[in-house]
Amino acid sequence: MTDRDAAPFDLAAMRKHYRTEGLSETDLAATPVEQFARWFKQAATEGGLFEPNAMIMSTADAEGRPSSRTVLLKHFDEEGFVFYTNYDSRKGRDLAENPHVSLLFPWHGVARQVIVTGVARRTGRDETAAYFRTRPHGSQLGAWASAQSSVVASRAELDAAYAELAARYPEGEQVPVPPHWGGFRVAPRTVEFWQGRENRLHDRLRYVAQAGGGWRVERLSP
């Protein structure tokens, strides 16, 4: 295999020219959650994006070794951004050792990104149970069938575990909430709103939580 075969595209030449309209300090809402709600609505209704609630979540373990994955945002309010997972998964174990987290919403189709940094804490079991009941029956069974992030011998083994659960809890039967499964709420400490601009001179406005409450807004160089 030649170098040309290994890299069939000219990666250095792959670029997009971003929009000319920008983001100014006067455009921002009073809080980052209000601003996020504005942008999320636009991404979900006007942006034509696939799963605009998909976010890349980065964690690090006690030794600082990072890992990233895509998860789905299921709720947000002034208290933070909520997602659900298996607490025994790699991200669950990372967060038990080191609760600091970064969330990235990569809305490339509208030349926008939102980057959240903060601290993740488990949601209460009542909140977890209420959300679990809204999940499709199959997703409820899947939360039991998968020992997330652990090594599995084969797909057949996973399918057999699911089939056993489906027989035990047929459609219409209530599936108990797994004790190892639940939510995390990320309380934001910084929230950056990134708007692509021409000539790579992007707008980057970041809310920073103040010790006494409220937010400071600062502009970052692109």
Side-chain angles (χ1 to χ4, degrees):
M1 179 179 290
T2 66
D3 289 344
R4 183 180 297 276
D5 293 330
F9 300 104
D10 183 357
L11 298 181
M14 295 178 72
R15 60 174 54 87
K16 295 289 186 181
H17 295 288
Y18 295 119
R19 60 179 65 191
T20 56
E21 61 268 29
L23 179 66
S24 70
E25 287 80 351
T26 57
D27 294 331
L28 293 179
T31 72
V33 172
E34 291 177 36
Q35 182 63 34
F36 180 83
R38 290 180 186 175
W39 271 23
F40 185 84
K41 181 178 180 181
Q42 291 173 349
T45 61
E46 303 168 18
L49 303 180
F50 178 73
E51 292 192 325
N53 61 323
M55 55 188 185
I56 299 168
M57 186 184 71
S58 298
T59 58
D61 63 17
E63 297 181 25
R65 293 172 296 194
S67 62
S68 298
R69 76 289 290 162
T70 301
V71 299
L72 296 178
L73 177 70
K74 289 302 178 180
H75 178 73
F76 68 91
D77 56 27
E78 293 295 338
E79 299 300 317
F81 300 81
V82 178
F83 66 93
Y84 292 86
T85 189
N86 186 316
Y87 287 142
D88 296 328
S89 65
R90 179 171 180 177
K91 58 183 159 314
R93 296 193 306 269
D94 279 359
L95 292 173
E97 298 175 353
N98 178 359
H100 295 276
V101 65
S102 173
L103 307 175
L104 166 64
F105 294 86
W107 296 332
H108 303 307
V110 292
R112 286 176 172 174
Q113 300 179 73
V114 181
I115 305 162
V116 179
T117 65
V119 174
R121 304 292 185 211
R122 292 188 182 190
T123 60
R125 293 309 292 174
D126 287 347
E127 184 175 355
T128 287
Y131 170 71
F132 188 79
R133 298 290 171 230
T134 71
R135 287 165 60 92
H137 182 74
S139 296
Q140 294 181 15
L141 297 178
W144 279 102
S146 172
Q148 195 175 79
S149 300
S150 66
V151 176
V152 61
S154 66
R155 176 73 198 201
E157 181 178 306
L158 184 63
D159 289 341
Y162 181 90
E164 181 182 341
L165 286 159
R168 189 187 313 170
Y169 301 108
E171 190 78 43
E173 292 256 347
Q174 180 168 293
V175 180
V177 182
H180 55 270
W181 188 94
F184 282 100
R185 174 174 282 100
V186 179
R189 294 188 173 175
T190 70
V191 184
E192 177 185 335
F193 292 86
W194 184 102
Q195 173 68 72
R197 296 291 301 275
E198 289 185 315
N199 303 315
R200 295 300 186 263
L201 296 178
H202 313 304
D203 286 322
R204 298 176 60 190
L205 297 181
R206 180 170 66 185
Y207 292 80
V208 180
Q210 302 288 76
W215 300 89
R216 180 182 81 252
V217 174
E218 53 193 17
R219 177 174 286 271
L220 304 179
S221 176

